[in-house]
Every structure is written in structure tokens, then in C-alpha cells.
Amino acid sequence: MVQIRKYVNLRNIGGFLFLFVMVESLALLVHPFGNVRLSAADKPLMNTAGIQQPVLDVMQRSCENCHSDRTSWPWYSHIAPMSWAIEKDVSDGRSHWNMSKWDHYSLEERQDILTEIAPMVRNRKMPLPKYLLLHPEAKLSDADVDLLYRWSRSERKRIKSEPSEPSSPIVK
């Protein structure tokens, strides 16, 4: 018991806490997946999409945090290394589909995204199960799944019927 007390004293504990706080403070400055927090959150979602309000409501509740620039960052998302995992998930989500940049996608890219949404939602692969652990409100009901599935299919058909975008001339 005397030997343990020899190594565990206030000075050692204070030094450890100081070192921990310094390392954690520096880790807060590191963003290994880019600083995804620096995005314009004021852009309208799914701009130019043929979307009804009930569909948009479901998307805002269940998709917006990872698939738009309107991410709500909870307190634990500011503590490394948890912040790194969350930033990676958001970065990955936005790379697949960013609701804030819908009008930036070509017609073909929109069709591809809509083609992916339908089975991902229907097979309950989205929202991610690990996301639902901390965000149970994002869980999709059977009615939500059906609504998103039918919307993605009808929006894809609508886009397919639009005239294709003019191709830009090739400059040599």
C-alpha cells in the first residue's frame, strides 16, 4: 500500500490532468477529414426538386444532419476523438448526397442519387443504425419509408422526362 501511495499523489495526478487537457485542446484543432463545420447552413434544402412538404419534413428530421450543410453539432461532437468520427460520418454522408447542393448536381447525378435513396431507405440502411442510437427521433416509420421510397421513384421519373442538359462545347 505504501508503494502505491508513493506513485499516486496530487502532483502526479495534477500533471496527468494538465497533460490530458493540453492534448485534448490540441486535438480539438485537428480535423483529419476536413473542417466540415464550415458550410453554409442557410441554403434551402432540395432546391429545384419536385418535393412535397411531408417528404421534406421527413428528410429534415432523418437525413439533414448528415446529408446537408445544416448539421446540428451536439456537445460531444466537439471532443476528440469522437469529433473525428462524427466529422468523418458527416463528410461521407455529404459526399454521397448533399441536400443543400441539390441544384449543383447534373440531371444524371440526381437520378443516380435517387436510385440509391430508394433501396437504402427501404432496406433500412439509412439512417445508419449507429446514428439512431443517439438520435432515436430520426428513425423512419413504415409510413416514412414508403413516403421516401415513392417520392424518390416519382422524382427520378420526373427528372428522366426532363430534356437533357446541353453539353458544353469541347475547347481544344
Side-chain angles (χ1 to χ4, degrees):
M1 192 70 167
V2 175
Q3 289 179 345
I4 294 173
R5 285 189 179 171
K6 180 178 161 183
Y7 295 106
V8 179
N9 61 42
L10 288 178
R11 186 174 179 188
N12 289 345
I13 292 172
F16 174 76
L17 286 175
F18 176 76
L19 181 63
F20 178 78
V21 168
M22 292 304 293
V23 168
E24 187 61 35
S25 297
L26 290 173
L28 291 174
L29 302 174
V30 176
H31 300 281
F33 304 100
N35 197 351
V36 293
R37 297 170 194 262
L38 299 176
S39 52
D42 56 345
K43 289 192 71 172
L45 299 180
M46 299 302 289
N47 197 17
T48 72
I51 190 166
Q52 301 81 18
Q53 193 60 45
V55 176
L56 189 57
D57 291 343
V58 170
M59 287 181 171
Q60 287 174 325
R61 187 188 79 231
S62 299
C63 312
E64 175 178 83
N65 256 350
C66 295
H67 293 284
S68 82
D69 292 339
R70 292 183 180 179
T71 304
S72 176
W73 300 100
W75 66 269
Y76 54 84
S77 71
H78 298 281
I79 302 169
M82 181 66 113
S83 63
W84 301 339
I86 294 170
E87 287 176 3
K88 181 187 183 311
D89 287 346
V90 170
S91 177
D92 289 349
R94 289 178 186 170
S95 72
H96 290 288
W97 168 45
N98 189 333
M99 295 165 57
S100 300
K101 297 185 176 169
W102 184 253
D103 54 344
H104 295 237
Y105 295 122
S106 69
L107 291 178
E108 185 176 298
E109 289 171 321
R110 292 178 193 179
Q111 288 178 36
D112 291 343
I113 291 167
L114 292 166
T115 300
E116 287 182 35
I117 289 174
M120 294 296 276
V121 168
R122 186 165 244 182
N123 294 327
R124 307 249 181 212
K125 294 190 180 198
M126 283 290 153
L128 293 174
K130 67 180 180 180
Y131 178 77
L132 292 174
L133 289 173
L134 294 173
H135 302 276
E137 73 282 357
K139 185 173 180 168
L140 296 172
S141 68
D142 291 341
D144 294 337
V145 168
D146 187 54
L147 184 69
L148 291 175
Y149 182 80
R150 284 187 290 115
W151 171 79
S152 64
R153 289 181 51 108
S154 67
E155 180 66 4
R156 188 168 155 245
K157 285 179 188 173
R158 185 187 72 79
I159 290 173
K160 272 187 170 180
S161 68
E162 285 185 5
S164 60
E165 297 172 338
S167 57
S168 56
I170 299 172
V171 179
K172 291 187 179 184

